[in-house]
């Protein structure tokens, strides 16, 4: 009789274990289904993101080409401005040199004028 009770308890424990395993497998199945749904959603989102990224890269390439073309168009202007700046700088340097020469010539003219006046006065005195 103890053996029959022991077999009954083992059988009951086995049935409880099987029910527990069925419930566990059911929960695992739901988790796997949710994981599959999440992966499908992520795959879809990644595809949309990749498409938008490709479109954005194409637009960036077009803009880069446009900017490169415009910079190439404007580049001669900057070269001309640099040349003009250099010419103005040279002109300023020459103007300074010329003004120094004019100032020096003015001083010499005043000195020569003074000397001529002095000679004129001396010649008047000597004529008398």
């Amino acid at each position: 009789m103890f053996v029959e009770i022991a077999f009954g308890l083992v059988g009951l424990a086995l049935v409880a274990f099987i029910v527990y395993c069925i419930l566990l497998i059911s929960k695992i199945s739901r988790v796997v289904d949710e994981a599959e749904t999440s992966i499908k959603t992520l795959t879809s989102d990644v595809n949309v993101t990749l498409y938008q990224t490709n479109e954005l890269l194409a637009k960036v390439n077009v803009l880069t080409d446009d900017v490169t073309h415009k910079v190439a168009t404007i580049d001669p202007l900057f070269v001309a401005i640099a040349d003009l700046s250099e010419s103005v700088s040279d002109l300023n340097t020459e103007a300074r040199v010329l003004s120094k020469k004019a100032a020096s010539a003015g001083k010499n003219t005043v000195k020569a004028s003074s000397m001529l006046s002095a000679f004129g006065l001396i010649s008047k005195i000597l004529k008398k």
Side-chain angles (χ1 to χ4, degrees):
M1 172 142 148
F2 285 118
V3 174
E4 292 172 359
I5 294 174
F7 282 130
L9 288 175
V10 169
L12 190 59
L14 187 59
V15 168
F17 179 71
I18 291 173
V19 168
Y20 176 76
C21 286
I22 290 172
L23 293 175
L24 181 64
I25 290 172
S26 173
K27 287 181 182 179
I28 290 174
S29 175
R30 278 188 247 137
V31 169
V32 168
D33 289 342
E34 287 179 23
E36 286 178 356
T37 304
S38 296
I39 289 173
K40 286 178 184 177
T41 303
L42 288 174
T43 303
S44 157
D45 290 348
V46 166
N47 288 337
V48 169
T49 303
L50 285 175
Y51 177 75
Q52 291 173 348
T53 302
N54 285 336
E55 284 184 350
L56 184 62
L57 284 174
K59 289 177 184 177
V60 167
N61 286 336
V62 168
L63 286 174
T64 302
D65 291 342
D66 186 42
V67 167
T68 302
H69 176 68
K70 288 179 180 175
V71 166
T73 302
I74 293 174
D75 193 40
L77 174 67
F78 287 115
V79 170
I81 290 171
D83 291 344
L84 178 64
S85 173
E86 196 172 314
S87 297
V88 168
S89 178
D90 291 344
L91 183 62
N92 282 339
T93 303
E94 292 301 320
R96 283 190 195 111
V97 169
L98 183 61
S99 69
K100 286 180 184 176
K101 286 182 181 179
S104 175
K107 288 179 185 176
N108 290 337
T109 303
V110 169
K111 286 180 186 176
S113 173
S114 297
M115 290 170 82
L116 286 174
S117 295
F119 283 135
L121 184 62
I122 291 173
S123 69
K124 282 183 184 180
I125 292 175
L126 291 176
K127 284 184 182 180
K128 291 184 183 180

